[in-house]
Amino acid sequence: MLRKTYSLLKKQKNSEARAASSQNSGSSSPQGKLSKMLSASGRIGLMSLRKIAQENNKEVFIRFLRQPVLAGSAIQAGSISSQEGSGIDEMNRTQIFEPSGTDPDASPPSEALKHAIYPLVKGEYSNSASKFFTIGRIDGNDIIIPDFAISKKHAVITIDNSKFYIKDLGSTNGTMVNGTRLDKKQAKIHDKDVLSFARYEFTFLFPASLYKMLRGE
Protein backbone atom coordinates (compact mmCIF):
# COMPACT_ATOMS: atom_id res chain seq x y z
CA MET A 1 0.00 0.00 0.00
CA LEU A 2 2.76 2.45 0.94
CA ARG A 3 4.64 1.59 -2.25
CA LYS A 4 1.53 2.27 -4.32
CA THR A 5 0.92 5.61 -2.59
CA TYR A 6 4.58 6.62 -3.03
CA SER A 7 4.40 5.69 -6.71
CA LEU A 8 1.29 7.79 -7.24
CA LEU A 9 2.83 10.80 -5.47
CA LYS A 10 6.00 10.48 -7.55
CA LYS A 11 4.02 10.38 -10.80
CA GLN A 12 2.00 13.42 -9.72
CA LYS A 13 5.18 15.35 -8.85
CA ASN A 14 6.79 14.51 -12.19
CA SER A 15 3.63 15.53 -14.03
CA GLU A 16 3.56 18.90 -12.23
CA ALA A 17 7.24 19.46 -13.00
CA ARG A 18 6.66 18.78 -16.70
CA ALA A 19 3.67 21.13 -16.75
CA ALA A 20 5.68 23.89 -15.08
CA SER A 21 8.52 23.39 -17.52
CA SER A 22 6.13 23.54 -20.46
CA GLN A 23 4.49 26.69 -19.10
CA ASN A 24 7.84 28.43 -18.61
CA SER A 25 8.92 27.45 -22.09
CA GLY A 26 5.74 28.75 -23.65
CA SER A 27 5.98 32.07 -21.83
CA SER A 28 9.58 32.72 -22.83
CA SER A 29 10.12 36.05 -24.55
CA PRO A 30 9.89 35.93 -28.35
CA GLN A 31 12.73 38.45 -28.35
CA GLY A 32 14.87 35.88 -26.57
CA LYS A 33 14.59 33.75 -29.69
CA LEU A 34 15.22 36.76 -31.94
CA SER A 35 18.35 37.81 -30.05
CA LYS A 36 19.89 34.40 -30.80
CA MET A 37 19.37 35.01 -34.52
CA LEU A 38 21.34 38.26 -34.54
CA SER A 39 24.85 38.42 -35.96
CA ALA A 40 27.71 40.03 -34.02
CA SER A 41 26.91 43.31 -35.81
CA GLY A 42 23.26 43.23 -34.69
CA ARG A 43 21.85 42.16 -38.05
CA ILE A 44 19.37 39.43 -38.89
CA GLY A 45 19.33 37.62 -42.20
CA LEU A 46 16.83 39.00 -44.69
CA MET A 47 15.97 35.53 -45.96
CA SER A 48 15.30 34.27 -42.43
CA LEU A 49 12.92 37.14 -41.70
CA ARG A 50 11.19 36.76 -45.05
CA LYS A 51 10.61 33.06 -44.35
CA ILE A 52 9.08 33.87 -40.94
CA ALA A 53 6.81 36.48 -42.55
CA GLN A 54 5.73 34.06 -45.28
CA GLU A 55 4.96 31.22 -42.87
CA ASN A 56 3.07 33.22 -40.22
CA ASN A 57 0.23 35.72 -40.03
CA LYS A 58 0.83 39.36 -39.14
CA GLU A 59 -0.07 39.02 -35.46
CA VAL A 60 2.43 36.20 -34.91
CA PHE A 61 5.15 38.14 -36.75
CA ILE A 62 4.53 41.28 -34.68
CA ARG A 63 4.72 39.29 -31.43
CA PHE A 64 7.99 37.75 -32.61
CA LEU A 65 9.65 41.03 -33.60
CA ARG A 66 7.95 43.44 -31.14
CA GLN A 67 10.30 46.36 -31.87
CA PRO A 68 11.03 48.41 -35.02
CA VAL A 69 13.98 47.75 -37.31
CA LEU A 70 16.39 49.72 -39.43
CA ALA A 71 15.98 48.33 -42.94
CA GLY A 72 18.67 49.19 -45.48
CA SER A 73 17.09 51.10 -48.35
CA ALA A 74 19.76 53.00 -50.33
CA ILE A 75 23.40 53.99 -50.63
CA GLN A 76 24.09 57.60 -51.61
CA ALA A 77 26.57 58.29 -54.38
CA GLY A 78 29.48 60.50 -53.41
CA SER A 79 33.17 60.74 -52.72
CA ILE A 80 35.23 59.70 -49.70
CA SER A 81 38.34 61.53 -48.51
CA SER A 82 40.66 60.94 -45.58
CA GLN A 83 41.12 63.41 -42.76
CA GLU A 84 44.58 64.80 -42.17
CA GLY A 85 46.78 62.59 -40.07
CA SER A 86 49.64 60.18 -40.31
CA GLY A 87 50.27 56.46 -40.17
CA ILE A 88 47.96 54.32 -38.05
CA ASP A 89 46.12 57.40 -36.75
CA GLU A 90 45.02 58.31 -40.26
CA MET A 91 43.96 54.73 -41.02
CA ASN A 92 41.71 54.64 -37.95
CA ARG A 93 40.03 57.98 -38.56
CA THR A 94 36.54 58.35 -39.97
CA GLN A 95 36.63 59.34 -43.62
CA ILE A 96 34.76 62.39 -44.88
CA PHE A 97 31.81 61.68 -47.15
CA GLU A 98 30.76 64.22 -49.80
CA PRO A 99 27.34 63.41 -51.30
CA SER A 100 28.12 65.04 -54.64
CA GLY A 101 30.65 63.66 -57.09
CA THR A 102 32.43 60.32 -57.23
CA ASP A 103 35.93 59.20 -56.38
CA PRO A 104 37.14 56.10 -58.25
CA ASP A 105 39.83 55.53 -55.60
CA ALA A 106 37.43 55.63 -52.66
CA SER A 107 36.60 52.45 -50.78
CA PRO A 108 33.34 51.07 -52.22
CA PRO A 109 30.24 50.96 -50.02
CA SER A 110 29.01 47.62 -48.76
CA GLU A 111 26.19 46.51 -51.05
CA ALA A 112 25.17 43.99 -48.38
CA LEU A 113 24.24 46.89 -46.08
CA LYS A 114 21.75 48.09 -48.68
CA HIS A 115 19.57 45.14 -47.70
CA ALA A 116 20.58 44.83 -44.03
CA ILE A 117 17.98 44.49 -41.28
CA TYR A 118 18.91 45.72 -37.79
CA PRO A 119 16.16 45.04 -35.19
CA LEU A 120 16.06 47.21 -32.07
CA VAL A 121 16.75 44.13 -30.00
CA LYS A 122 19.77 43.49 -27.82
CA GLY A 123 22.12 40.71 -28.81
CA GLU A 124 22.27 37.55 -26.76
CA TYR A 125 25.41 38.66 -24.89
CA SER A 126 24.74 42.40 -24.69
CA ASN A 127 25.29 44.04 -21.30
CA SER A 128 24.22 47.58 -22.23
CA ALA A 129 21.04 49.31 -21.05
CA SER A 130 17.97 47.92 -22.81
CA LYS A 131 16.53 51.25 -23.95
CA PHE A 132 19.67 52.57 -25.70
CA PHE A 133 20.87 51.31 -29.09
CA THR A 134 24.18 52.77 -30.19
CA ILE A 135 25.16 52.89 -33.86
CA GLY A 136 28.78 52.94 -35.02
CA ARG A 137 31.45 51.12 -36.99
CA ILE A 138 33.33 49.38 -34.16
CA ASP A 139 32.62 46.56 -31.70
CA GLY A 140 30.72 47.59 -28.59
CA ASN A 141 27.87 49.19 -30.53
CA ASP A 142 24.48 47.52 -30.74
CA ILE A 143 24.25 48.26 -34.46
CA ILE A 144 27.58 47.97 -36.26
CA ILE A 145 27.93 49.47 -39.74
CA PRO A 146 31.46 48.50 -40.83
CA ASP A 147 32.37 51.43 -43.04
CA PHE A 148 34.97 54.19 -42.52
CA ALA A 149 32.39 56.84 -43.42
CA ILE A 150 30.61 55.84 -40.19
CA SER A 151 32.04 57.20 -36.95
CA LYS A 152 33.14 54.85 -34.18
CA LYS A 153 30.21 56.10 -32.09
CA HIS A 154 27.89 57.66 -34.64
CA ALA A 155 24.38 57.90 -33.17
CA VAL A 156 22.05 56.45 -30.57
CA ILE A 157 18.39 55.45 -30.67
CA THR A 158 16.47 55.65 -27.40
CA ILE A 159 13.22 53.90 -26.52
CA ASP A 160 11.12 55.82 -24.01
CA ASN A 161 7.56 54.70 -23.20
CA SER A 162 7.13 53.06 -26.62
CA LYS A 163 8.35 56.22 -28.35
CA PHE A 164 11.58 56.38 -30.33
CA TYR A 165 14.23 59.07 -30.50
CA ILE A 166 17.53 59.42 -32.33
CA LYS A 167 20.52 61.58 -31.49
CA ASP A 168 23.77 62.18 -33.35
CA LEU A 169 26.85 61.62 -31.18
CA GLY A 170 29.05 64.24 -32.83
CA SER A 171 29.75 62.07 -35.86
CA THR A 172 32.00 63.28 -38.68
CA ASN A 173 29.41 62.85 -41.44
CA GLY A 174 26.27 63.46 -39.45
CA THR A 175 22.90 61.81 -39.02
CA MET A 176 19.80 62.81 -40.98
CA VAL A 177 16.09 62.16 -40.55
CA ASN A 178 14.11 62.48 -43.77
CA GLY A 179 16.89 64.55 -45.31
CA THR A 180 17.33 66.96 -42.39
CA ARG A 181 20.65 66.83 -40.58
CA LEU A 182 20.36 66.59 -36.81
CA ASP A 183 21.97 69.07 -34.45
CA LYS A 184 22.90 68.21 -30.88
CA LYS A 185 19.28 67.61 -29.86
CA GLN A 186 17.52 64.28 -30.17
CA ALA A 187 14.66 63.93 -32.65
CA LYS A 188 11.55 61.78 -32.43
CA ILE A 189 11.29 59.17 -35.17
CA HIS A 190 8.24 57.44 -36.61
CA ASP A 191 7.29 54.49 -38.76
CA LYS A 192 8.71 54.78 -42.31
CA ASP A 193 11.07 57.67 -41.50
CA VAL A 194 14.31 57.57 -43.48
CA LEU A 195 17.45 57.68 -41.33
CA SER A 196 20.81 58.44 -42.95
CA PHE A 197 24.24 57.74 -41.51
CA ALA A 198 26.93 59.10 -43.84
CA ARG A 199 26.25 57.38 -47.19
CA TYR A 200 23.85 54.74 -45.90
CA GLU A 201 20.09 55.17 -45.76
CA PHE A 202 17.78 53.04 -43.63
CA THR A 203 14.01 53.04 -43.34
CA PHE A 204 12.69 52.90 -39.78
CA LEU A 205 9.94 50.28 -39.90
CA PHE A 206 7.49 49.11 -37.28
CA PRO A 207 6.89 45.33 -37.32
CA ALA A 208 3.58 45.64 -39.22
CA SER A 209 5.22 47.71 -41.97
CA LEU A 210 8.15 45.32 -42.21
CA TYR A 211 5.73 42.40 -42.49
CA LYS A 212 4.02 44.02 -45.48
CA MET A 213 7.37 44.78 -47.11
CA LEU A 214 8.64 41.22 -46.71
CA ARG A 215 5.44 39.79 -48.16
CA GLY A 216 5.39 42.29 -51.01
CA GLU A 217 2.03 43.75 -49.99
Side-chain angles (χ1 to χ4, degrees):
M1 183 71 177
L2 287 175
R3 285 184 180 180
K4 188 175 182 180
T5 302
Y6 175 78
S7 179
L8 288 172
L9 288 173
K10 187 175 181 180
K11 287 181 179 179
Q12 183 179 359
K13 185 176 181 180
N14 289 339
S15 177
E16 290 173 352
R18 285 195 299 270
S21 177
S22 175
Q23 185 176 10
N24 290 336
S25 176
S27 63
S28 62
S29 170
Q31 286 194 323
K33 299 176 183 177
L34 179 57
S35 66
K36 294 180 181 179
M37 298 174 66
L38 299 181
S39 69
S41 62
R43 291 163 56 181
I44 185 170
L46 177 60
M47 296 303 295
S48 298
L49 265 185
R50 181 171 285 137
K51 183 178 180 182
I52 293 170
Q54 294 292 342
E55 294 179 350
N56 296 277
N57 62 37
K58 184 169 70 173
E59 288 70 25
V60 171
F61 184 82
I62 290 173
R63 284 201 304 271
F64 169 74
L65 199 61
R66 294 184 61 184
Q67 297 291 7
V69 305
L70 296 184
S73 54
I75 300 174
Q76 298 182 47
S79 61
I80 295 288
S81 59
S82 299
Q83 298 188 61
E84 292 184 3
S86 60
I88 296 177
D89 181 55
E90 182 178 1
M91 291 175 61
N92 288 329
R93 287 191 178 190
T94 304
Q95 296 176 334
I96 299 172
F97 172 68
E98 294 291 343
S100 59
T102 58
D103 180 359
D105 298 323
S107 58
S110 171
E111 285 294 326
L113 290 175
K114 189 175 180 179
H115 306 289
I117 304 288
Y118 292 94
L120 292 189
V121 174
K122 294 291 182 178
E124 189 175 8
Y125 302 107
S126 174
N127 294 317
S128 58
S130 59
K131 72 174 187 175
F132 298 108
F133 290 83
T134 57
I135 301 162
R137 76 165 186 267
I138 62 172
D139 291 345
N141 289 290
D142 298 294
I143 296 173
I144 300 174
I145 305 176
D147 187 282
F148 274 98
I150 302 295
S151 293
K152 293 178 180 178
K153 294 286 185 180
H154 198 105
V156 61
I157 293 176
T158 303
I159 303 175
D160 187 6
N161 292 323
S162 298
K163 297 177 181 178
F164 305 89
Y165 303 88
I166 189 168
K167 182 179 181 181
D168 185 77
L169 297 177
S171 65
T172 298
N173 292 305
T175 301
M176 294 195 293
V177 177
N178 298 325
T180 300
R181 184 161 179 164
L182 300 181
D183 51 22
K184 295 181 180 180
K185 296 180 180 179
Q186 68 176 10
K188 189 175 181 180
I189 49 179
H190 309 83
D191 187 32
K192 300 181 182 179
D193 278 348
V194 176
L195 311 182
S196 302
F197 311 101
R199 53 182 168 179
Y200 296 99
E201 290 185 358
F202 295 86
T203 304
F204 187 71
L205 294 175
F206 282 14
S209 295
L210 179 62
Y211 181 79
K212 290 182 178 179
M213 184 197 82
L214 292 173
R215 291 177 62 92
E217 298 177 357

